[in-house]
Amino acid sequence: MNRVMICTLSAILSGFFGSYIGGQITLSLNRETCQNQPWGVNEICHLWVTPKAIWQGSTTGLWTGTMLGAFCSGLVTHQSRE
């Protein structure tokens, strides 16, 4: 497999992984804001916070994971010229 294919696949895979991890982290951080509410309000707060948190964290994680994956795989597959 050539270098471009390895970098592309690595960037895509790390982007998806970063998207998942970023969504989970942001969701857990934003759900903490609902913890001090009574039970009914707590459930409504979770419904309100969840979509925005997942979207925001997934988008950030996707971008960051893709950039880091491409950079790291570029470093690993670098061929020095002599």
Side-chain angles (χ1 to χ4, degrees):
M1 233 186 328
N2 63 5
R3 182 174 179 227
V4 174
M5 194 64 133
I6 292 172
C7 289
T8 302
L9 289 176
S10 175
I12 290 171
L13 288 176
S14 56
F16 284 141
F17 181 70
S19 177
Y20 175 74
I21 297 298
Q24 294 299 315
I25 290 172
T26 307
L27 179 61
S28 67
L29 290 175
N30 283 336
R31 282 189 157 204
E32 287 181 9
T33 61
C34 301
Q35 294 301 319
N36 295 332
Q37 306 294 331
W39 182 78
V41 178
N42 186 7
E43 297 303 315
I44 294 171
C45 182
H46 284 286
L47 286 173
W48 183 261
V49 167
T50 299
K52 179 185 174 196
I54 290 177
W55 178 258
Q56 184 180 18
S58 296
T59 312
T60 304
L62 178 67
W63 186 87
T64 305
T66 303
M67 292 301 124
L68 287 175
F71 180 73
C72 290
S73 62
L75 287 177
V76 169
T77 59
H78 177 72
Q79 299 169 351
S80 62
R81 294 183 185 176
E82 292 183 9

